[in-house]
C-alpha cells in the first residue's frame, strides 16, 4: 500500500516537473526566428531574414577565436 502511494506521488511530481519544462521550451522557441513566425511577430520574409541575420551576428560574437592571427 505504501509503495502504491509512493508511486502515485512520484508520478504526480514528475508530471508537474514535465509541465514546467514544456513551458520553458515553449518560451525559448518563441524567441527563435521561426518561433516569431509562428507567433505572428514576424509577418514578412524581409523581417524574418533581418531577424535571422541579427541572431547569426549575436551567435558569431559568442564564438571563441584565437587571439593571434597565426595559424596553428
Amino acid at each position: 500500500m505504501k509503495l502504491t502511494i509512493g508511486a502515485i506521488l512520484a508520478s504526480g511530481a514528475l508530471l508537474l516537473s514535465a509541465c514546467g519544462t514544456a513551458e520553458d521550451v515553449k518560451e525559448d522557441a518563441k524567441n527563435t526566428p521561426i518561433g516569431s513566425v509562428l507567433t505572428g511577430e514576424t509577418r514578412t520574409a524581409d523581417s524574418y531574414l533581418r531577424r535571422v541575420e541579427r541572431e547569426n551576428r549575436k551567435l558569431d560574437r559568442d564564438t571563441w577565436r584565437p587571439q593571434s592571427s597565426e595559424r596553428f
Side-chain angles (χ1 to χ4, degrees):
M1 185 68 169
K2 288 181 182 180
L3 184 60
T4 305
I5 292 172
I8 291 171
L9 290 175
S11 65
L14 184 61
L15 269 173
L16 287 175
S17 138
C19 290
T21 302
E23 287 297 319
D24 291 342
V25 170
K26 186 177 178 181
E27 289 300 315
D28 288 343
K30 284 182 182 178
N31 294 330
T32 64
I34 196 67
S36 68
V37 173
L38 296 175
T39 60
E41 182 182 334
T42 302
R43 296 186 186 273
T44 65
D46 289 333
S47 62
Y48 173 75
L49 289 175
R50 279 193 303 270
R51 184 151 181 166
V52 169
E53 287 173 356
R54 187 174 55 230
E55 291 292 321
N56 286 345
R57 273 187 259 125
K58 186 170 61 172
L59 291 174
D60 190 46
R61 280 187 296 234
D62 293 340
T63 303
W64 178 84
R65 291 188 175 81
Q67 293 294 324
S68 72
S69 61
E70 296 177 12
R71 296 201 152 194
F72 291 104

